[in-house]
Amino acid sequence: PCRVADTRNPAGPFGGPAIAGGSSRDFVVPASACGIPSTAQAYSLNVTVVPHGLMLGYLTMWPSGQSRPPVSTLNSLDGRVKANAAVIPVGSGGAVGIYVSDTTDLVLDINGYFLPASDSTALAFYPMAPCRIADTRGAAGPLGAPSLTGGLGRTFPIPLASACSIPASARAYSLNFTAVPQGVLGYLTAWPTAQPKPVASALNAVTGAVTANAVLVPVGSGGSIDTYVSDDTNLVIDTNGYFAPAGPGGLSLYSVTPCRVLDTRQPAGSPPVSGATVTNISVAASACGIPAAAQAYVLNATVIPPGSLGYLTLWAQGQPKPIASTLNATDGQITSNMAIISTMDGFISAYPMNQTHLLIDISGYFAP
């Protein structure tokens, strides 16, 4: 993980000023200090907002040089510091565009990039059904209790999660982190074991709410990853796939301009999705032009609950509902999270613990 931009810093192409509400700004990622090559086709980013006012209606990211799409990357209606992951196609000159509805500072980190399949160093993606790797609320062990202590790091030996069947050939993990803070959690950082702790963050939970965020983390020494938290918290780690050298079953990323697959608020007056029920969503039949050959989708899920939403889980239709979650909105706030979800027939399934409106946007898919 590497910090691309922080608008709280002195003025510059990767510093201040803050982005004014109702305006956009481009960030030329290869020109940053993170060593991203100009041959990159898409970026795996983490965007964190530090709003200036009581609210940030929404933030949208897209490939620079294209029209701003009618989708959102995150919302912070209560003005809290908030982060979300996104896989964004490379735009004009290697830049990504960012639009905010209200004035905010912005922190942009990168944890990977996608190269042409013809590049000999490129890895393939291997999707999995969502699987729980670690839960510090469980029994004591290397992937269980105790909880994480503020100001300290902890190593998670991913290969010990034998039930998730991640092979030794994996070079990076596609993970979903869920923090269950014991109070305020300033930030959480994850990185490959045996490397220095980076100046980057994976998620923030400054109100103490249960908070999830997707993270791509390179494999560290012994297959492990390291985490650091600024404050005490429990942590749940789920996986939905891994990156490894190309081979049978390996998939390539095909980027698309972010596009809305589903909005349960439409037509106007439509009821929310019922809680504790499964809703099947046809991504292939949406207006986004995703081909039937797709075997996994890069999605941004946004919930708009009328009250507390314990959790939302997304998975491939036709498979059992996994013991894993995509996001949480126990405080009833509009909440988003990126998710890479496999598919067998162009459909995905969604299960919200409580009723909620649901938005699904897509920014890419994996296929042979």
Side-chain angles (χ1 to χ4, degrees):
C2 178
R3 182 136 294 172
V4 171
D6 187 339
T7 64
R8 299 170 299 181
N9 289 336
F14 299 103
I19 305 178
S23 68
S24 62
R25 182 173 170 185
D26 289 350
F27 293 91
V28 183
V29 178
S32 72
C34 294
I36 308 303
S38 59
T39 53
Q41 305 293 293
Y43 307 124
S44 175
L45 301 168
N46 193 62
V47 58
T48 303
V49 293
V50 186
H52 280 203
L54 297 177
M55 68 173 290
L56 168 62
Y58 67 94
L59 174 147
T60 298
M61 297 178 64
W62 74 99
S64 179
Q66 299 184 12
S67 299
R68 177 164 59 91
V71 302
S72 60
T73 304
L74 64 78
N75 314 76
S76 182
L77 298 189
D78 58 357
R80 77 178 72 171
V81 177
K82 206 169 187 179
N84 195 20
V87 171
I88 301 295
V90 171
S92 177
V96 296
I98 298 179
Y99 172 91
V100 294
S101 61
D102 304 274
T103 301
T104 186
D105 273 304
L106 178 77
V107 179
L108 192 63
D109 298 324
I110 189 165
N111 53 39
Y113 55 89
F114 294 84
L115 292 168
S118 58
D119 191 302
S120 61
T121 65
L123 301 175
F125 180 67
Y126 296 81
M128 302 167 51
C131 181
R132 182 139 295 172
I133 287 177
D135 188 341
T136 65
R137 300 169 301 177
L143 298 173
S147 60
L148 279 63
T149 301
L152 297 177
R154 179 169 170 184
T155 298
F156 287 92
I158 303 295
L160 294 186
S162 56
C164 295
S165 301
I166 300 176
S169 60
R171 296 292 178 267
Y173 306 123
S174 176
L175 304 174
N176 195 59
F177 284 177
T178 303
V180 186
Q182 297 172 15
V184 171
L185 171 60
Y187 69 94
L188 176 148
T189 296
W191 70 97
T193 298
Q195 293 190 16
K197 181 169 74 74
V199 181
S201 59
L203 64 79
N204 312 78
V206 294
T207 65
V210 177
T211 303
N213 202 14
V215 187
L216 301 186
V217 185
V219 171
S221 176
S224 298
I225 64 168
D226 282 357
T227 60
Y228 172 92
V229 292
S230 61
D231 306 275
D232 294 353
T233 186
N234 275 299
L235 179 65
V236 180
I237 304 176
D238 300 322
T239 185
N240 50 42
Y242 59 91
F243 295 86
L251 306 176
S252 294
L253 175 71
Y254 295 82
S255 298
V256 299
T257 300
C259 177
R260 182 139 293 171
V261 170
L262 173 74
D263 185 344
T264 64
R265 301 171 301 178
Q266 303 300 326
S270 296
V273 176
S274 297
T277 62
V278 176
T279 298
N280 294 315
I281 302 163
S282 177
V283 178
S286 72
C288 296
I290 308 303
Q295 296 183 23
Y297 304 123
V298 183
L299 305 173
N300 193 56
T302 302
V303 293
I304 307 173
S308 177
L309 169 63
Y311 67 89
L312 169 81
T313 297
L314 301 176
W315 74 98
Q317 184 193 35
Q319 294 186 355
K321 183 171 77 71
I323 302 175
S325 59
T326 302
L327 61 78
N328 312 76
T330 54
D331 55 2
Q333 290 291 318
I334 297 175
T335 303
S336 300
N337 195 14
M338 189 190 85
I340 299 177
I341 304 297
S342 59
T343 183
M344 298 184 294
D345 55 5
F347 281 80
I348 63 169
S349 293
Y351 177 94
M353 181 178 176
N354 309 93
Q355 70 171 342
T356 185
H357 277 297
L358 178 62
L359 311 181
I360 300 288
D361 299 323
I362 189 167
S363 62
Y365 61 91
F366 290 95

